[in-house]
Amino acid sequence: MGTPCFFVVDIVTFFYPIGNTSAVHLTRSLPPKQPADILLLGCGDVRNILFTVYADQDSSRKLDVTCCDIQPAIIARNILLLTLILDDANGLNNTSMWNIYYHLYLDDSSLKLLSAQATKLHALAASMQSWHGGKYGRQLRFCDYGTLTKVRGIWDTYRITHLNSVDRERYLQRSKAAMRRAMDKRAYFSGGTSLVLSGIRSAAPAGICAITDAPKLHQYYWDHGSTDREGDSLLKSKTPNPMFVTDMSTLHYGTDPLLGFHLATAYTPLTEQSPLRSKVMTQNSSFFKVVEAARLQFRSWAKSLRQCSSQNLTVRFFTGDAIAFSYALQQRRITRSDKATGIYRDPYHLEPLVLDSKDYTESGGAPLSFAVIDTSNLIDHIGAMNLLIATAPLLDNRSSASLYTESLVKREETYTAYVDSLLNGHFPTISTLLGLFPVEYWTNASASSTMDDLMIGSGLIAAGSDASITQMHVRLTWKRTMPEQTSQSPAFQLQVDETGCARILHEVYLNMFRHENVQRLFSNINVHTLSNNSLVRYHRGSFALFLRFIRSRVVVDWRKVMNSLLGLIETDSSLLIGRNYMQELYLYLHVFKVHSVDNLSRPFNQNHSTSVAKGLKSWKNIPPVLCITLKVPREKLGVITNLKPTEIGSPIVHCIIQSPPTSTSGRWQNIFSVVQLSFGDISTSGTKNSDTFRVHVAEDELRWSGSSSLFVSFRAPTWMLLLEPQTATVAFGIQSTPDSIRAFMKPLGFQMNIYETTLGHEENVFITKDQPNQPESASLCAFSDGKPGNSASPNQIARTIITGNVDHSTARIVSLTGRLEILSENVKLALKGGGKVETVQISPCAFIETVGPKALRMALEFPAPVLELKSKTRIARKSSYIEVQAPLAGVTDWKFFPSFIYPIFLELGTPVVWNMPHLNLECLPVINTAKKNELQWLITHTSGMFSSRERELRDKPTPSDSEKDVRVSFKDSLFSALMHFTGLQGQQARLFGLNNPTGGGVHILIFVSSLKLDVANHTVVLDSAVLPLTDRLMPRLHSFLTALSATGLCSIKVDADELQLWKQVLPAMVERSRTWEHRPDCEYLTESRIPLSVENGQKLLCSCGNGQLPTKFITGVPQWGSVSKYFVRAALSPCFPAPFSEQLIDFNSIGRDKSRNGAGLLMCRQCRKTSYCSAERQRADWNKHKINCGC
């Protein structure tokens, strides 16, 4: 199996030893203590593992982390650092470990430590048995022998101090050349400027404070190769760090060791006892305080790793292509066997991927499904569809399981355009077909702000940089389709009519290959379209894999779907060379067992005598698909290798088979983009033109830098090869894109073929049944077809069937029909007896059907949000089913579900929170709110909760009823609490009450203990004790409430709608911060709902966490000792909009320190605390401000 992405010539490749975004908490979506099997694809450095161990300290959570990176040097670096940390029992080598992992040049002591550790690891890695039975083998494990071999070879290059003088000098020359190469690349790509603002993102939420320091720190690192103050002296020693030296790739020009840390701690005043604070940070006013902040975090993370029980942490390593690894895991999970899959380790070698570690045997224990899958920013390089269909089958079937994608490259002008193009079709339709729930998209809410990313873009533009090269940081969380607490039915699959399904799939096809639509390109030429048409991510094999996945997800007559789809594709004329790819499409539909056209499904009956037939025509029982391996002589590659590296770009290669000029079968041409490239020496075995003939390539690791020939292998349909088996032309060339045309059209001509010959040229063309170096008949297994669930559990009341109703003209699912087929005899009798049926939507994805006088309840669940408005209910009393048809929601329809911000569910008796990260509050830095002058950035940050529309709504003195937005009110209340607690606006307060003056007064008490930095999510959090007041509790609190009223409770005015929203989100705010266990008699479990009730005076939260507060959590509150047992800990943080549904605010318009005419800010005359940039803004804010003015 080839990679599902186009093959890009890899002459110019970059080495990414250090991550360029700050560390994430990998288990943030999981309930406390839940064991976590984690898959890291494109894992990069170890920052995420180290920070997760730090954030999970004291939780006793078991972590099993599988790391995959295509660069073996990344894995080698990571294991070496982890073993150094584990060996450093007393933390004495923190400085040397920092130097080894992050500095470009090393002092003698660090170099000796590196060499000694590499020597030890090299010896332990002599075999899989010796490694797994050795000192580190219990915790650090290899997935396969190939990874161990590659990593061991790299460790050998680190043993510099063991070299003799000649070899050491050779190393120094090689390493200096690598450093010069990196410097040259940096000068070329950065244009000679030092304006690198990525540090702003790592310093969020205080990113605005890093605008000056970020580029200086980046430049200092590249000037000195170190983060030390004594960088000049270290540079003079000129001992390059072998951990950064590679022969086959170049150190990336954006490398910066500080970007992987949470730099806000350097710009935020912290209390003396706060975690992640040191005196050096407070005493140092230069930008080296940022370095100290990062070093302190590194030391803290390393300490947590040393203290973590070896029973609780296992890290596994694989080096190779992330998508190939995912399919290998899929195969092993489905087949439970070690049968060959036909998958290569990566696109650039012919090494079969075999998970030969004993961990992947039936009793081995290595995970094959995962609670967390983090894909770094692979989506930028390989495309969302390739990534999702490879990884989604590996996601645990639990509501807490999460698949994370992250994008940094700006491919579109806006966030909305980005998400619209992400899945190559209508986003709600395709995500529903995939069975994935994009959480931020549907909730229009995020725990993280995009404010600092907007600052980076605005800063680059202000400095004169091209707006098209700025970044666009987008993180998405993908879940299994949304569960419901009332669920009584098993997982379902989607039914779609065959014609509608084909229309949707055809639309995906056209968008996958929109780069072939020349008319579309020329109708909208801009930098983004030219870039997107040069960086192609899909080929026909990708589309076939997509169909393979969809086939398992939908309930249809698949043959009808495929006949309709292929009819649409075959008659389409919008793709200029679409027909030239048809044979490759047919081929991979057959190979991946999706669909077989007649030419590939029927046996070949060759009408000739084999005694006189020659070549291919003599092959007995010839298979319908063959593999061609083309030898490209080294001298033909000069057209690529002779170019300057900056001129090559990323050309995409392919192979072509076409009729000869003297063809007897007419003119024809077919293009094949699924290719595998390798350099080396070829050998063969078996008899040519038979099943036994095989090709073996002994690979040359020097590749483009060596002298061996290039071998290109690809599959082709047999019937086509038999048309002109001797004289047909086979060519290897470069695909036409805007970038490749500029570089290669002149030297290669219009067709841009690098090498061509005939099929009959046996010295350079090898035709076999199987791919080179692959075991016989290795292939990817098929998924089972989507089928309606016919089985039912004994107590199941109804079976759910979901149908997607497709508008054929737009190729979109416009509505979903949910049918409850009644299984319960009691419900059947109630229906047939004319019992009343009531339909109520209880969440965006679920309705409750209540039947008959006994109020028999059934949940009807949908895989995506639907709208009750315009929904229709059909009751079939004789046939015993109830149907609800409801429109599928769109990106702006979150307004119909204003409280759908932090969904929370019960799973196996445990609450699971979506969209609100769990926090270990004891690890978070504590902000010193007494230093207000150092917290001005907080105003800008919290103002980022409001989109442009929401800010306009806030500015209106009296919005109409139709304009009122309960989310805006909710965010305003959060803003008020943050501003009052810090004293940045209004009088400082720490005791708050949510007060509905017309609905019973104060309903919820919020006592804030401290303001903390949520470093992982780049925001702040109010660490609080909360108490929803109930009718039953009020008599016990009478004296306390009387005393409290005299202390100056800050009243936050809410109306009934906002109070309801607070009650919906408060359980999630409590759950995210809990350190206690839910009891077996937890009210959530016994009542089967969260929250328990949103009615005034009724119980809202379970009582399991009541009184579970740290010592001296709240002080200075009268009678606190007697009432604290009723309070529960909660973490309140800003609620930011997702950037997909509406325009975000321009950061230049908020957090001003001057009025619009340049004069000073206006101050409220009454409280003398709140400032405004204009009289109009002050008047507009009065309705809100007067509530808190003077409180």
Side-chain angles (χ1 to χ4, degrees):
M1 180 189 127
T3 174
C5 309
F6 270 105
F7 185 92
V8 178
V9 170
D10 62 330
I11 292 182
V12 181
T13 60
F14 287 107
F15 181 43
Y16 298 90
I18 301 172
N20 59 355
T21 57
S22 53
V24 298
H25 184 195
L26 295 169
T27 59
R28 60 193 179 273
S29 63
L30 304 180
K33 299 187 178 182
Q34 177 180 309
D37 293 330
I38 300 171
L39 176 62
L40 304 182
L41 298 176
C43 65
D45 66 22
V46 294
R47 68 193 189 283
N48 294 331
I49 296 175
L50 292 177
F51 179 66
T52 298
V53 172
Y54 170 79
D56 279 354
Q57 61 182 286
D58 303 325
S59 73
S60 68
R61 187 199 303 276
K62 289 189 175 182
L63 299 174
D64 192 317
V65 186
T66 302
C67 302
C68 168
D69 201 286
I70 199 168
Q71 296 180 315
I74 297 294
I75 303 299
R77 281 172 48 86
N78 291 349
I79 298 176
L80 189 138
L81 176 64
L82 292 172
T83 57
L84 280 173
I85 294 173
L86 293 172
D87 288 349
D88 188 29
N90 298 315
L92 300 179
N93 287 328
N94 281 322
T95 299
S96 293
M97 290 188 297
W98 172 276
N99 297 343
I100 289 169
Y101 202 63
Y102 292 114
H103 285 180
L104 301 181
Y105 296 89
L106 291 180
D107 59 274
D108 288 342
S109 62
S110 297
L111 191 64
K112 288 179 182 177
L113 178 60
L114 168 61
S115 185
Q117 192 72 6
T119 299
K120 179 167 59 175
L121 298 179
H122 185 269
L124 286 171
S127 68
M128 289 282 276
Q129 184 177 4
S130 64
W131 177 267
H132 286 158
K135 180 178 181 180
Y136 310 108
R138 183 186 185 103
Q139 283 187 277
L140 309 177
R141 304 185 67 79
F142 287 97
C143 296
D144 68 311
Y145 180 71
T147 296
L148 179 140
T149 303
K150 295 176 191 301
V151 169
R152 185 173 189 258
I154 291 168
W155 285 334
D156 191 38
T157 68
Y158 295 166
R159 303 192 295 164
I160 305 305
T161 59
H162 292 67
L163 299 177
N164 59 39
S165 58
V166 175
D167 289 339
R168 186 181 178 94
E169 182 60 30
R170 188 179 294 118
Y171 160 73
L172 288 175
Q173 294 303 317
R174 181 172 63 89
S175 59
K176 289 175 183 177
M179 290 298 178
R180 283 195 301 271
R181 196 166 63 242
M183 294 294 182
D184 291 342
K185 286 289 191 300
R186 182 171 180 270
Y188 175 80
F189 285 103
S190 65
T193 69
S194 60
L195 189 66
V196 178
L197 298 177
S198 301
I200 292 176
R201 181 184 297 118
S202 296
I208 194 170
C209 303
I211 288 178
T212 301
D213 291 342
K216 289 181 180 179
L217 285 162
H218 180 82
Q219 187 65 38
Y220 184 92
Y221 177 72
W222 277 87
D223 286 345
H224 301 88
S226 166
T227 60
D228 290 343
R229 288 176 181 271
E230 301 78 18
D232 285 328
S233 61
L234 184 60
L235 184 61
K236 291 176 183 177
S237 71
K238 294 190 180 297
T239 309
N241 184 348
M243 296 262 278
F244 286 86
V245 175
T246 63
D247 291 325
M248 305 306 295
S249 57
T250 302
L251 181 65
H252 191 263
Y253 52 88
T255 299
D256 187 332
L258 302 180
L259 299 183
F261 296 92
H262 307 114
L263 305 182
T265 57
Y267 298 104
T268 304
L270 304 179
T271 62
E272 287 190 8
Q273 303 302 317
S274 169
L276 303 182
R277 177 190 182 273
S278 73
K279 290 185 178 180
V280 177
M281 290 164 53
T282 60
Q283 296 169 356
N284 197 337
S285 59
S286 72
F287 62 62
F288 281 103
K289 67 183 179 183
V290 180
V291 176
E292 173 55 26
R295 285 175 177 265
L296 175 58
Q297 289 172 40
F298 177 77
R299 295 194 296 269
S300 301
W301 300 355
K303 181 180 179 181
S304 295
L305 180 68
R306 287 192 295 271
Q307 294 175 342
C308 179
S309 168
S310 61
Q311 304 288 333
N312 287 345
L313 178 65
T314 302
V315 187
R316 307 174 192 275
F317 298 96
F318 173 83
T319 182
D321 179 72
I323 300 300
F325 184 52
S326 297
Y327 279 107
L329 290 172
Q330 276 191 39
Q331 183 92 342
R332 182 59 64 94
R333 185 182 182 188
I334 295 171
T335 64
R336 298 291 176 178
S337 74
D338 56 0
K339 182 181 177 182
T341 60
I343 301 172
Y344 289 111
R345 180 178 295 276
D346 61 51
Y348 308 107
H349 300 86
L350 292 174
E351 180 184 353
L353 197 170
V354 181
L355 298 177
D356 52 15
S357 167
K358 65 179 182 180
D359 292 357
Y360 289 96
T361 60
E362 192 70 30
S363 59
L368 297 173
S369 63
F370 302 90
V372 176
I373 301 177
D374 187 281
T375 63
S376 184
N377 69 323
L378 288 177
I379 200 170
D380 286 331
H381 306 286
I382 62 178
M385 197 69 83
N386 287 330
L387 187 61
L388 293 176
I389 62 175
T391 55
L394 301 175
L395 197 61
D396 279 350
N397 192 26
R398 302 179 67 172
S399 61
S400 57
S402 298
L403 167 60
Y404 297 106
T405 59
E406 181 176 13
S407 176
L408 288 169
V409 179
K410 186 173 183 178
R411 301 293 186 196
E412 304 290 346
E413 289 288 346
T414 66
Y415 289 95
T416 302
Y418 166 84
V419 80
D420 285 346
S421 65
L422 192 64
L423 299 183
N424 301 295
H426 181 232
F427 190 87
T429 295
I430 306 304
S431 59
T432 301
L433 278 182
L434 294 174
L436 293 173
F437 193 97
V439 179
E440 294 86 353
Y441 179 89
W442 286 124
T443 60
N444 188 35
S446 173
S448 301
S449 171
T450 58
M451 189 66 62
D452 296 277
D453 287 286
L454 293 174
M455 272 190 247
I456 294 174
S458 297
L460 289 170
I461 294 170
S465 298
D466 186 347
S468 65
I469 63 172
T470 59
Q471 292 186 340
M472 179 182 285
H473 192 205
V474 181
R475 276 182 178 168
L476 275 171
T477 306
W478 306 80
K479 297 274 194 178
R480 295 284 189 185
T481 48
M482 185 174 154
E484 287 298 330
Q485 298 161 17
T486 53
S487 178
Q488 296 171 323
S489 59
F492 48 77
Q493 291 171 308
L494 191 67
Q495 295 189 350
V496 187
D497 76 277
E498 285 76 9
T499 302
C501 185
R503 292 283 182 184
I504 293 171
L505 300 178
H506 183 237
E507 184 71 15
V508 171
Y509 179 86
L510 294 179
N511 283 302
M512 269 190 176
F513 307 114
R514 57 183 176 270
H515 58 279
E516 298 172 18
N517 189 330
V518 178
Q519 182 178 355
R520 182 174 180 174
L521 171 63
F522 285 109
S523 67
N524 183 29
I525 293 183
N526 57 50
V527 174
H528 292 304
T529 56
L530 290 174
S531 174
N532 290 339
N533 278 270
S534 294
L535 296 174
V536 181
R537 299 175 186 83
Y538 303 103
H539 51 50
R540 267 60 183 185
S542 316
F543 185 66
L545 284 169
F546 165 68
L547 295 180
R548 171 181 177 266
F549 182 84
I550 294 298
R551 181 178 182 176
S552 70
R553 285 282 313 143
V554 296
V555 181
V556 292
D557 184 326
W558 188 249
R559 178 164 290 279
K560 287 183 179 179
V561 170
M562 289 306 303
N563 288 338
S564 180
L565 172 61
L566 292 178
L568 292 169
I569 293 174
E570 289 163 354
T571 58
D572 178 77
S573 60
S574 64
L575 305 184
L576 182 64
I577 53 175
R579 295 188 180 184
N580 299 69
Y581 288 105
M582 285 305 302
Q583 297 309 316
E584 184 174 52
L585 175 60
Y586 295 147
L587 183 150
Y588 279 99
L589 292 176
H590 174 79
V591 167
F592 295 142
K593 304 176 180 64
V594 176
H595 179 78
S596 294
V597 297
D598 289 345
N599 282 341
L600 296 173
S601 60
R602 63 191 180 198
F604 286 87
N605 297 314
Q606 300 182 29
N607 297 318
H608 53 74
S609 171
T610 55
S611 61
V612 296
K614 296 181 180 180
L616 282 180
K617 293 188 176 180
S618 66
W619 194 321
K620 293 182 179 179
N621 300 316
I622 190 168
V625 174
L626 296 172
C627 180
I628 296 177
T629 301
L630 177 65
K631 178 180 178 181
V632 181
R634 167 63 66 164
E635 61 270 18
K636 295 294 183 179
L637 303 178
V639 69
I640 298 177
T641 57
N642 292 338
L643 289 176
K644 295 178 180 179
T646 54
E647 296 174 342
I648 295 174
S650 302
I652 299 165
V653 296
H654 60 203
C655 287
I656 297 173
I657 299 179
Q658 63 186 27
S659 58
T662 58
S663 173
T664 59
S665 57
R667 296 291 301 275
W668 51 271
Q669 182 192 70
N670 292 294
I671 305 174
F672 300 88
S673 295
V674 186
V675 298
Q676 191 81 15
L677 270 64
S678 180
F679 292 85
D681 297 316
I682 197 167
S683 62
T684 63
S685 61
T687 304
K688 284 188 177 181
N689 303 310
S690 75
D691 287 1
T692 65
F693 186 58
R694 303 182 60 76
V695 163
H696 313 271
V697 177
E699 299 197 60
D700 177 6
E701 290 302 322
L702 291 178
R703 296 179 54 73
W704 296 98
S705 301
S707 58
S708 57
S709 297
L710 170 69
F711 292 93
V712 188
S713 64
F714 64 99
R715 285 167 161 157
T718 300
W719 73 266
M720 182 195 69
L721 301 179
L722 291 172
L723 292 176
E724 312 272 358
Q726 291 295 316
T727 57
T729 299
V730 56
F732 169 67
I734 295 175
Q735 184 184 125
S736 288
T737 68
D739 284 352
S740 66
I741 288 173
R742 285 194 295 268
F744 297 102
M745 177 75 82
K746 185 175 180 179
L748 290 177
F750 178 75
Q751 289 193 335
M752 295 202 294
N753 287 337
I754 294 172
Y755 173 69
E756 62 180 65
T757 186
T758 62
L759 280 177
H761 185 192
E762 294 188 352
E763 290 185 5
N764 284 5
V765 179
F766 305 85
I767 303 178
T768 56
K769 176 184 176 183
D770 299 306
Q771 300 174 94
N773 295 3
Q774 286 285 4
E776 185 177 354
S777 302
S779 63
L780 194 66
C781 66
F783 286 140
S784 58
D785 285 357
K787 296 178 181 178
N790 294 318
S791 60
S793 60
N795 298 322
Q796 190 173 325
I797 297 176
R799 179 189 297 118
T800 301
I801 297 174
I802 302 295
T803 301
N805 305 304
V806 181
D807 181 338
H808 294 182
S809 63
T810 61
R812 296 180 176 186
I813 295 176
V814 293
S815 66
L816 296 173
T817 299
R819 174 182 289 193
L820 287 173
E821 292 189 344
I822 309 302
L823 303 176
S824 165
E825 291 301 325
N826 289 337
V827 180
K828 286 182 179 180
L829 289 173
L831 269 185
K832 292 178 179 178
K836 181 181 178 182
V837 176
E838 184 178 6
T839 302
V840 177
Q841 187 169 17
I842 59 168
S843 80
C845 299
F847 288 76
I848 286 292
E849 302 295 327
T850 306
V851 181
K854 294 185 179 180
L856 301 168
R857 290 164 57 89
M858 297 172 292
L860 176 56
E861 301 168 22
F862 291 92
V866 293
L867 304 178
E868 186 175 25
L869 188 69
K870 297 183 180 179
S871 66
K872 301 176 182 177
T873 301
R874 181 186 176 198
I875 304 166
R877 298 184 182 275
K878 291 184 179 180
S879 301
S880 298
Y881 68 81
I882 301 172
E883 257 185 10
V884 175
Q885 180 179 333
L888 179 65
V891 67
T892 61
D893 289 329
W894 58 267
K895 297 170 186 176
F896 291 99
F897 317 108
S899 63
F900 188 62
I901 304 175
Y902 311 124
I904 184 168
F905 316 97
L906 274 175
E907 183 173 67
L908 301 177
T910 300
V912 174
V913 180
W914 283 13
N915 211 33
M916 178 166 273
H918 285 269
L919 299 174
N920 183 345
L921 291 168
E922 304 309 317
C923 294
L924 301 187
V926 184
I927 298 174
N928 184 351
T929 56
K931 298 184 177 182
K932 297 182 182 60
N933 61 320
E934 298 179 43
L935 289 175
Q936 294 303 307
W937 54 262
L938 187 58
I939 302 175
T940 300
H941 175 68
T942 51
S943 296
M945 286 193 287
F946 303 97
S947 67
S948 294
R949 177 192 63 83
E950 290 171 329
R951 287 188 64 82
E952 290 178 4
L953 189 60
R954 292 179 78 216
D955 287 347
K956 289 188 177 182
T958 54
S960 64
D961 289 342
S962 62
E963 292 176 316
K964 286 182 179 178
D965 188 330
V966 67
R967 278 202 192 182
V968 174
S969 300
F970 169 68
K971 293 178 183 182
D972 243 338
S973 296
L974 283 171
F975 183 85
S976 295
L978 284 160
M979 291 300 101
H980 279 290
F981 181 76
T982 57
L984 290 171
Q985 291 184 8
Q987 185 174 340
Q988 197 156 14
R990 61 192 182 96
L991 309 179
F992 300 92
L994 299 184
N995 178 21
N996 182 3
T998 62
V1002 174
H1003 289 262
I1004 298 173
L1005 296 177
I1006 302 172
F1007 292 179
V1008 181
S1009 173
S1010 62
L1011 179 68
K1012 296 184 174 181
L1013 268 177
D1014 178 3
V1015 291
N1017 298 294
H1018 303 297
T1019 189
V1020 295
V1021 59
L1022 291 169
D1023 192 359
S1024 311
V1026 300
L1027 175 62
L1029 299 175
T1030 65
D1031 294 341
R1032 187 174 181 180
L1033 190 59
M1034 287 296 286
R1036 306 178 200 175
L1037 299 177
H1038 178 73
S1039 62
F1040 163 70
L1041 295 175
T1042 301
L1044 183 63
S1045 63
T1047 64
L1049 183 73
C1050 186
S1051 174
I1052 297 178
K1053 185 179 178 181
V1054 298
D1055 61 17
D1057 290 337
E1058 186 186 347
L1059 183 61
Q1060 288 268 317
L1061 193 154
W1062 272 98
K1063 291 180 178 181
Q1064 292 284 351
V1065 303
L1066 202 57
M1069 294 175 172
V1070 170
E1071 192 63 26
R1072 72 182 306 204
S1073 56
R1074 75 173 172 90
T1075 55
W1076 36 268
E1077 295 293 319
H1078 284 280
R1079 300 189 304 266
D1081 62 345
C1082 172
E1083 296 92 331
Y1084 291 157
L1085 185 59
T1086 57
E1087 297 292 329
S1088 297
R1089 60 174 177 265
I1090 309 175
L1092 296 173
S1093 175
V1094 294
E1095 297 298 321
N1096 290 345
Q1098 299 302 305
K1099 194 167 188 176
L1100 168 65
L1101 305 171
C1102 78
S1103 57
C1104 300
N1106 287 0
Q1108 303 289 325
L1109 302 171
T1111 305
K1112 297 182 180 180
F1113 188 65
I1114 301 293
T1115 59
V1117 174
Q1119 303 182 31
W1120 177 248
S1122 62
V1123 300
S1124 61
K1125 61 185 177 182
Y1126 301 118
F1127 283 77
V1128 65
R1129 197 175 190 179
L1132 283 65
S1133 56
C1135 175
F1136 300 101
F1140 311 121
S1141 67
E1142 52 189 12
Q1143 183 179 356
L1144 300 176
I1145 185 66
D1146 179 359
F1147 80 95
N1148 289 311
S1149 68
I1150 62 177
R1152 291 174 171 159
D1153 59 5
K1154 291 184 178 180
S1155 66
R1156 292 169 183 170
N1157 61 10
L1161 295 176
L1162 303 176
M1163 184 174 288
C1164 174
R1165 293 180 181 178
Q1166 182 170 321
C1167 68
R1168 308 296 295 174
K1169 297 289 185 181
T1170 305
S1171 301
Y1172 298 94
C1173 60
S1174 68
E1176 293 83 1
R1177 181 66 184 88
Q1178 185 175 11
R1179 283 193 294 270
D1181 190 52
W1182 174 242
N1183 282 338
K1184 288 285 182 184
H1185 177 62
K1186 66 182 180 182
I1187 301 168
N1188 302 312
C1189 186
C1191 78

